[in-house]
Amino acid sequence: MASGALMKPQMHGLLVKHLRFHIVGAFIVSLGVAAFYKFVVAEPRKKTYADSYRNYDSMKDFEEMRKAGIFQSAK
Amino acid sequence: MFSRAAWSLVLRNRRHGTRGSHGPGGIARGEGKMPPYTNYYAQRSYPMPDEPFCTELSAEQQALKDKEKGSWTQLSHAEKVALYRLQFHETFAEMNRRSNEWKTVVGCVFFFCGFTALLIWWQHVYVFPEKPITLTDEWKARQLQRILDMKGNPVQGLASCWDYEKKQWKK
């Protein structure tokens, strides 16, 4: 039937092998995704907010909004 | 062409639970009749149906089946192949062959998407009522100006893209 001898397939430990591969992979993927998000999204966002509010003058902002006429209680 | 595609779709949807003793009915009555063979359909997920492929055997086929009851070492290669063909219609390679059905499916999907687009267009012209006042361009412009005056999302969002000195969008 078969012209060459085939390798004997793995007979035992299939679940263990599957679990090990996937548990390790899941760890790596989830840690990787978390690290990616932290350094690509979260840290730059925190920096942007910090920079924006470092020299923020709330009274000046309020005056601009009041002149634009959006307030009902402060014209 | 269409009916054959439709038939193969019908067959592919059969699951082995629906097979009674009469097999996966429907096909061999009209389409692809091959005498003296009966209804028989094997698929990748159900490769060995209950009934053999040929149930009405000629005399020599019956003789072969009787020979099969003895020792199989006495069967020649050609006889083994013949027995296989009696029991099963196709080999695994033949059964699992690719087909061009996907082109029909994709084509029909696109066709019906296009037809739906025509229906929606007709609906747009003849069914939909007038746009509410809040969706007119003038109202939307005033709404946007109000959001910018209120400085909505001034750090990373909408108002951060507006240049308040030059009164235009930032480049």
Side-chain angles (χ1 to χ4, degrees), chain A residues 7-60:
Chain A
M7 265 179 37
K8 185 171 180 181
Q10 186 185 358
M11 306 290 266
H12 302 284
L14 293 159
L15 180 63
V16 164
K17 179 172 161 199
H18 180 272
L19 279 179
R20 189 182 137 111
F21 178 79
H22 282 84
I23 284 178
V24 168
F27 253 101
I28 293 173
V29 166
S30 52
L31 288 177
V33 167
F36 173 84
Y37 186 85
K38 181 179 165 78
F39 290 113
V40 174
V41 177
E43 289 299 320
R45 186 174 290 172
K46 287 197 271 189
K47 183 172 177 311
T48 312
Y49 271 77
D51 292 341
S52 145
Y53 283 111
R54 190 164 295 126
N55 299 320
Y56 178 66
D57 184 1
S58 60
M59 288 315 295
K60 171 162 162 282

Side-chain angles (χ1 to χ4, degrees), chain B residues 21-167:
Chain B
S21 55
H22 57 278
I27 178 182
R29 266 172 265 275
E31 173 66 19
K33 222 196 266 214
M34 294 166 291
Y37 304 144
T38 58
N39 308 340
Y40 179 93
Y41 189 72
Q43 52 190 355
R44 198 177 300 201
S45 57
Y46 193 69
M48 291 178 219
D50 312 319
E51 300 287 314
F53 182 51
C54 305
T55 44
E56 301 146 16
L57 301 172
S58 71
E60 57 180 83
Q61 287 171 333
Q62 189 58 47
L64 192 56
K65 281 300 239 186
D66 292 330
K67 192 173 174 192
E68 191 194 12
K69 291 176 189 162
S71 172
W72 287 345
T73 52
Q74 287 165 355
L75 296 169
S76 73
H77 183 70
E79 285 173 337
K80 288 180 192 166
V81 171
L83 283 168
Y84 181 92
R85 290 286 175 185
L86 285 179
Q87 183 73 18
F88 305 107
H89 176 208
E90 291 171 317
T91 66
F92 269 69
E94 291 165 6
M95 174 174 78
N96 292 338
R97 69 180 176 280
R98 298 175 297 172
S99 75
N100 283 331
E101 186 193 356
W102 69 271
K103 298 178 191 172
T104 312
V105 172
V106 169
C108 289
V109 165
F110 287 152
F111 176 78
F112 281 109
C113 283
F115 183 67
T116 308
L118 286 174
L119 290 179
I120 291 175
W121 185 15
W122 178 88
Q123 205 179 30
H124 193 79
V125 170
Y126 287 107
V127 177
F128 285 173
E130 284 292 317
K131 253 199 220 180
I133 186 173
T134 51
L135 287 176
T136 56
D137 285 331
E138 200 231 320
W139 190 284
K140 288 201 287 193
R142 281 171 34 207
Q143 193 166 18
L144 177 60
Q145 180 60 54
R146 199 172 136 83
I147 295 174
L148 291 173
D149 291 339
M150 289 196 272
K151 307 216 174 172
N153 295 324
V155 181
Q156 278 185 323
L158 184 63
S160 70
C161 300
W162 181 256
D163 189 340
Y164 282 92
E165 275 95 51
K166 296 203 202 99
K167 301 231 184 300

Side-chain angles (χ1 to χ4, degrees), chain B residues 1-20:
Chain B
M1 181 274 287
F2 227 70
S3 67
R4 195 152 9 105
W7 272 127
S8 61
L9 278 170
V10 163
L11 295 171
R12 211 138 299 184
N13 287 336
R14 295 277 181 197
R15 289 285 163 260
H16 76 273
T18 66
R19 271 170 234 272

